[in-house]
Amino acid sequence: MINIGCHLSIASGYEKMGKDALSIGANTLAFFTRNPRGGKAKEIDPNDVEKFLKLARENNFAKLVAHAPYTLNPASKDEKTRNFALMAMTEDLERMEYTPGNYYNFHPGSHVGQGAEKGIELIAGLLNQVLKEDQTTTVLLETMAGKGSEVGATFEEIREIIDKVELKEKIGVCLDTCHVSDGGYDIIGDLDGVLDHFDEVIGLKYLKALHINDSKNPMGSHKDRHAKIGEGFLGLETIVEVVKNPRLKGLPMILETPQESLDGYRKEIETLREKGE
Ligand code: FE
Ligand code: FE
Ligand code: ZN
């Protein structure tokens, strides 16, 4: 049984997300903890969360992979922008404790001309401020495509961030198939070689979740434009290899493909369950 789901809207609450997930054959899900463009997060209704947790338990949901707003930039040179990232992540991690023991994924950030070293230092600095000994959430660094001055497009940069984090048991990595291919890793030709490299540089024990996307651009393009499964440069075959890989089995896999409706995700989940089991 593979653990697969997609991004869902939290606008109508947690239980609604759980029901939407079930309706498309998913047993995990992702959601933006607040409007991706920033802004305030919605009040949490404990009753709604309770119903969701029951549903998730009864249907053997895998860990959820919440997503921080992608506009946060802990590596910014602007102190106000960094403070916003600090505030939003602190608050999000408090909210994550309503659904204990899950994942919170974020884009490490863009160093905007300060250099990767400075960016890495700022990102690790933020993590050392927000991670708490008693939190049950694991915070995931997402592997990036290397668009602009994004930090985290190489396994080495991710490793360097982790090296500087004090509470390493609270940290993990989310591998995005579109991003790593755009970043120059040949998962099309040599998935196992890429995983070996990940293991050498970061350690596979840090790999906690996957974003399953095809890419509109060829390997090494540094573009970050997701395509539907089978409609991009990775192709269905590569995605199936990822889903089936024994070293990745069991990890929550989240689709972030451009879909017009939930039905698009339902079809992709059906295909990947069929070919990937
Ligand atoms: Fe992301
Ligand atoms: Fe992603
Ligand atoms: Zn992306």
Side-chain angles (χ1 to χ4, degrees):
M1 168 92 165
I2 63 169
N3 295 318
I4 189 162
C6 65
H7 264 274
L8 294 170
S9 166
I10 198 174
S12 302
Y14 284 84
E15 191 193 17
K16 175 69 164 63
M17 283 197 298
K19 286 182 170 167
D20 281 347
L22 288 178
S23 80
I24 55 172
N27 69 327
T28 178
L29 58 93
F31 60 94
F32 283 109
T33 49
R34 61 184 71 216
N35 186 317
R37 313 284 338 160
K40 230 185 133 31
K42 224 176 129 225
E43 265 322 303
I44 288 183
D45 169 7
N47 194 31
D48 171 44
V49 177
E50 226 24 78
K51 285 187 200 151
F52 168 76
L53 290 174
K54 183 163 178 281
L55 176 152
R57 241 182 351 256
E58 287 171 355
N59 293 281
N60 292 315
F61 271 32
K63 285 186 193 293
L64 314 180
V65 192
H67 199 307
Y70 45 76
T71 45
L72 293 192
N73 187 10
S76 172
K77 58 181 169 195
D78 172 26
E79 198 187 347
K80 249 172 61 190
T81 305
R82 291 201 305 271
N83 282 340
F84 178 73
L86 174 63
M87 184 279 290
M89 278 180 75
T90 303
E91 208 180 278
D92 283 357
L93 286 175
E94 282 165 15
R95 296 158 59 84
M96 285 298 293
E97 291 300 315
Y98 279 92
T99 52
N102 287 298
Y103 297 141
Y104 175 77
N105 169 74
F106 80 109
H107 295 181
S110 298
H111 64 71
V112 282
Q114 303 177 96
E117 270 322 301
K118 183 69 188 169
I120 287 164
E121 204 179 288
L122 289 168
I123 294 157
L126 169 114
L127 287 168
N128 284 330
Q129 281 178 281
V130 300
L131 298 178
K132 300 279 180 282
E133 201 94 54
D134 61 352
Q135 77 182 46
T136 64
T137 304
T138 304
V139 174
L140 307 185
L141 294 151
E142 182 166 351
T143 60
M144 300 312 291
K147 199 174 58 178
S149 64
E150 272 173 355
V151 180
T154 66
F155 298 161
E156 285 77 7
E157 287 182 357
I158 302 261
R159 173 76 244 175
E160 279 184 62
I161 298 169
I162 296 174
D163 275 343
K164 291 181 160 53
V165 170
E166 283 150 28
L167 295 172
K168 291 188 174 44
E169 68 279 11
K170 305 292 182 194
I171 201 98
V173 177
C174 174
L175 186 143
D176 185 311
T177 54
C178 166
H179 297 180
V180 288
S181 174
D182 281 18
Y185 292 102
D186 188 13
I187 58 170
I188 303 168
D190 187 16
L191 173 64
D192 270 304
V194 174
L195 292 179
D196 287 343
H197 185 56
F198 186 104
D199 197 29
E200 277 159 34
V201 178
I202 304 175
L204 277 171
K205 68 167 192 200
Y206 281 105
L207 184 55
K208 305 292 189 194
L210 297 165
H211 284 169
I212 303 290
N213 304 304
D214 212 323
S215 175
K216 288 198 168 141
N217 295 286
M219 186 179 102
S221 61
H222 304 297
K223 287 276 207 300
D224 191 2
R225 298 207 42 222
H226 302 184
K228 289 180 185 169
I229 303 304
E231 294 186 10
F233 277 82
L234 300 188
L236 179 60
E237 212 179 306
T238 297
I239 304 283
V240 169
E241 287 306 311
V242 171
V243 169
K244 270 169 70 164
N245 191 285
R247 287 189 279 183
L248 306 177
K249 246 193 171 139
L251 299 180
M253 302 185 180
I254 304 294
L255 294 160
E256 299 177 308
T257 52
Q259 302 291 346
E260 297 70 39
S261 69
L262 276 185
D263 200 53
Y265 288 121
R266 186 189 59 72
K267 288 186 188 129
E268 288 187 338
I269 290 170
E270 190 178 68
T271 303
L272 294 178
R273 283 204 188 286
E274 217 174 84
K275 298 189 184 286
E277 297 292 345

